[in-house]
Coordinates of all heavy atoms in Angstrom, one line a residue:
R1 N 0.8 -1.2 0.0 CA 0.0 0.0 0.0 C 0.9 1.3 0.0 O 2.0 1.2 0.4 CB -0.9 0.0 1.1 CG -0.4 0.2 2.6 CD -1.3 0.0 3.7 NE -0.7 0.2 5.0 CZ -1.5 0.1 6.1 NH1 -2.6 -0.3 6.1 NH2 -0.8 0.2 7.3
Q2 N 0.3 2.3 -0.5 CA 1.0 3.6 -0.5 C 0.0 4.7 -0.3 O -1.0 4.8 -1.1 CB 1.7 3.7 -1.8 CG 2.6 5.0 -1.9 CD 3.6 5.1 -3.1 OE1 3.2 4.5 -4.1 NE2 4.7 5.7 -2.9
A3 N 0.2 5.5 0.6 CA -0.5 6.7 0.9 C 0.2 7.9 0.3 O 1.4 7.9 0.1 CB -0.7 6.9 2.4
P4 N -0.5 8.9 0.0 CA 0.1 10.1 -0.6 C 1.3 10.6 0.2 O 1.2 10.8 1.5 CB -1.0 11.2 -0.7 CG -2.3 10.4 -0.7 CD -2.0 9.2 0.1
G5 N 2.4 10.9 -0.4 CA 3.5 11.4 0.2 C 4.3 10.4 1.1 O 5.3 10.8 1.8
K6 N 3.9 9.1 1.0 CA 4.4 8.1 1.9 C 5.2 7.1 1.0 O 4.9 6.9 -0.1 CB 3.4 7.4 2.8 CG 2.7 8.3 3.7 CD 3.6 9.0 4.7 CE 2.8 9.8 5.7 NZ 3.6 10.4 6.7
Q7 N 6.1 6.3 1.6 CA 6.7 5.2 0.9 C 5.7 4.0 0.8 O 4.8 3.9 1.6 CB 7.9 4.7 1.8 CG 9.1 5.7 1.7 CD 10.1 5.3 0.7 OE1 10.0 5.7 -0.5 NE2 11.1 4.6 1.0
R8 N 5.9 3.4 -0.3 CA 5.1 2.1 -0.5 C 5.6 1.1 0.5 O 6.8 0.9 0.7 CB 5.2 1.6 -1.9 CG 4.5 0.4 -2.2 CD 4.5 0.1 -3.7 NE 3.6 0.9 -4.5 CZ 3.9 1.3 -5.8 NH1 4.9 0.8 -6.5 NH2 3.0 2.0 -6.4
E9 N 4.7 0.4 1.1 CA 5.0 -0.6 2.1 C 4.4 -1.9 2.0 O 3.3 -2.0 1.4 CB 4.7 0.0 3.6 CG 3.2 0.1 3.8 CD 2.9 0.6 5.2 OE1 3.6 0.3 6.2 OE2 1.8 1.1 5.5
L10 N 5.1 -2.9 2.4 CA 4.5 -4.3 2.4 C 3.4 -4.5 3.4 O 3.7 -4.1 4.7 CB 5.6 -5.3 2.5 CG 5.2 -6.7 2.5 CD1 4.6 -7.2 1.2 CD2 6.3 -7.6 3.0
V11 N 2.3 -4.9 3.1 CA 1.2 -5.1 4.1 C 1.1 -6.6 4.4 O 1.1 -6.9 5.7 CB -0.1 -4.7 3.5 CG1 -1.3 -5.0 4.5 CG2 -0.1 -3.2 3.2
A12 N 1.2 -7.5 3.5 CA 1.1 -8.8 3.7 C 1.7 -9.7 2.6 O 1.8 -9.2 1.5 CB -0.4 -9.3 3.9
R13 N 2.2 -10.8 2.9 CA 2.8 -11.7 1.9 C 2.4 -13.1 2.1 O 2.1 -13.6 3.2 CB 4.3 -11.5 2.0 CG 4.9 -12.0 3.3 CD 6.5 -11.6 3.3 NE 7.3 -12.4 2.4 CZ 7.8 -13.5 2.7 NH1 7.7 -14.0 4.0 NH2 8.5 -14.1 1.8
I14 N 2.3 -13.8 1.0 CA 2.0 -15.3 1.1 C 3.0 -16.0 0.2 O 3.1 -15.6 -0.9 CB 0.6 -15.5 0.8 CG1 0.2 -17.0 0.9 CG2 0.1 -15.0 -0.6 CD1 -1.2 -17.3 1.0
I15 N 3.6 -17.0 0.7 CA 4.6 -17.8 0.0 C 3.8 -18.8 -0.7 O 2.6 -19.2 -0.4 CB 5.6 -18.4 1.0 CG1 6.4 -17.2 1.7 CG2 6.5 -19.3 0.3 CD1 7.3 -17.7 2.8
G16 N 4.3 -19.4 -1.8 CA 3.7 -20.4 -2.5 C 3.2 -21.6 -1.7 O 2.2 -22.1 -2.1
G17 N 3.9 -21.9 -0.7 CA 3.5 -23.0 0.2 C 2.4 -22.7 1.2 O 2.0 -23.5 1.9
G18 N 2.1 -21.4 1.3 CA 1.0 -21.0 2.1 C 1.4 -20.2 3.3 O 0.5 -19.7 4.1
I19 N 2.6 -20.1 3.6 CA 3.1 -19.3 4.8 C 2.8 -17.8 4.5 O 3.1 -17.3 3.5 CB 4.5 -19.6 5.1 CG1 4.8 -21.1 5.4 CG2 5.1 -18.7 6.2 CD1 6.2 -21.5 5.5
T20 N 2.3 -17.2 5.6 CA 2.0 -15.8 5.5 C 2.8 -15.0 6.5 O 3.1 -15.4 7.5 CB 0.5 -15.5 5.7 OG1 0.1 -16.1 7.0 CG2 -0.3 -16.3 4.7
N21 N 3.0 -13.7 6.2 CA 3.5 -12.7 7.1 C 2.8 -11.4 6.8 O 2.3 -11.0 5.8 CB 5.1 -12.5 6.8 CG 5.9 -13.7 7.3 OD1 6.1 -13.8 8.5 ND2 6.3 -14.6 6.4
Y22 N 2.8 -10.6 7.9 CA 2.1 -9.4 8.0 C 2.9 -8.3 8.5 O 3.7 -8.5 9.4 CB 0.8 -9.5 8.8 CG -0.1 -10.5 8.2 CD1 -0.1 -11.9 8.6 CD2 -1.1 -10.2 7.2 CE1 -0.9 -12.8 8.1 CE2 -1.9 -11.2 6.6 CZ -1.8 -12.5 7.1 OH -2.7 -13.5 6.6
G23 N 2.6 -7.0 8.1 CA 3.2 -5.9 8.7 C 2.6 -5.8 10.1 O 1.5 -6.1 10.4
D24 N 3.4 -5.2 11.0 CA 3.0 -5.1 12.4 C 1.7 -4.3 12.5 O 0.9 -4.6 13.4 CB 4.1 -4.5 13.2 CG 5.3 -5.3 13.4 OD1 5.1 -6.5 13.3 OD2 6.4 -4.8 13.8
S25 N 1.5 -3.3 11.7 CA 0.3 -2.5 11.9 C -0.9 -3.1 11.5 O -2.0 -2.7 11.8 CB 0.6 -1.2 11.1 OG 0.6 -1.4 9.7
V26 N -0.9 -4.2 10.7 CA -2.1 -5.0 10.3 C -2.3 -6.3 10.8 O -3.3 -7.0 10.6 CB -2.1 -4.9 8.7 CG1 -2.0 -3.5 8.1 CG2 -1.1 -5.9 8.2
K27 N -1.2 -6.8 11.5 CA -1.3 -8.1 12.0 C -2.5 -8.3 12.9 O -2.9 -7.5 13.7 CB 0.0 -8.5 12.8 CG 0.2 -9.9 13.1 CD 1.6 -10.2 13.6 CE 1.9 -11.6 13.7 NZ 3.3 -11.9 14.2
D28 N -3.1 -9.5 12.7 CA -4.3 -9.8 13.5 C -5.6 -9.1 12.9 O -6.7 -9.4 13.4 CB -4.3 -9.6 15.0 CG -3.1 -10.4 15.6 OD1 -2.9 -11.6 15.2 OD2 -2.5 -9.9 16.5
R29 N -5.5 -8.2 11.9 CA -6.6 -7.6 11.3 C -6.9 -8.0 9.9 O -7.9 -8.0 9.4 CB -6.5 -6.1 11.5 CG -6.5 -5.6 12.9 CD -6.6 -4.0 12.9 NE -5.5 -3.4 12.3 CZ -5.6 -2.6 11.1 NH1 -6.7 -2.4 10.6 NH2 -4.5 -2.0 10.7
F30 N -5.7 -8.2 9.2 CA -5.7 -8.5 7.8 C -5.4 -10.0 7.6 O -4.6 -10.6 8.3 CB -4.8 -7.7 7.0 CG -5.1 -6.2 6.9 CD1 -6.2 -5.7 7.6 CD2 -4.4 -5.4 6.0 CE1 -6.5 -4.3 7.5 CE2 -4.7 -4.0 5.9 CZ -5.7 -3.5 6.7
A31 N -5.9 -10.6 6.5 CA -5.5 -12.0 6.2 C -5.4 -12.1 4.6 O -6.2 -11.7 3.9 CB -6.6 -12.9 6.7
I32 N -4.2 -12.5 4.2 CA -3.9 -12.8 2.8 C -4.2 -14.3 2.5 O -3.9 -15.1 3.3 CB -2.5 -12.4 2.5 CG1 -2.3 -12.4 0.9 CG2 -1.5 -13.2 3.2 CD1 -0.9 -11.8 0.5
S33 N -4.7 -14.5 1.4 CA -5.0 -15.9 0.8 C -5.0 -15.9 -0.6 O -4.8 -14.9 -1.3 CB -6.4 -16.4 1.4 OG -7.4 -15.6 0.9
R34 N -4.9 -17.1 -1.2 CA -4.8 -17.2 -2.6 C -5.7 -18.4 -3.1 O -5.9 -19.4 -2.4 CB -3.4 -17.4 -3.0 CG -2.7 -18.7 -2.5 CD -1.2 -18.6 -2.6 NE -0.8 -18.4 -4.0 CZ 0.5 -17.9 -4.4 NH1 1.4 -17.7 -3.4 NH2 0.8 -17.9 -5.6
D35 N -6.2 -18.3 -4.3 CA -7.0 -19.3 -5.0 C -6.3 -19.6 -6.3 O -6.4 -18.8 -7.3 CB -8.5 -18.9 -5.1 CG -9.3 -20.0 -5.8 OD1 -8.8 -20.9 -6.4 OD2 -10.5 -19.9 -5.6
N36 N -5.5 -20.6 -6.3 CA -4.6 -20.8 -7.5 C -5.5 -21.2 -8.8 O -5.1 -20.9 -9.9 CB -3.6 -22.0 -7.2 CG -2.7 -21.6 -6.2 OD1 -2.3 -20.3 -6.1 ND2 -2.1 -22.5 -5.4
A37 N -6.7 -21.8 -8.5 CA -7.5 -22.1 -9.7 C -8.0 -20.9 -10.4 O -8.3 -20.9 -11.6 CB -8.7 -23.0 -9.2

């Protein structure tokens, strides 16, 4: 995500195997997922 005048930052990531990581500011509020089909 990127807000005006701010650096673009990573919010969440998901590895191919399904492991996820979140930025501290969104952890426990956001969830990343994928549907490969």
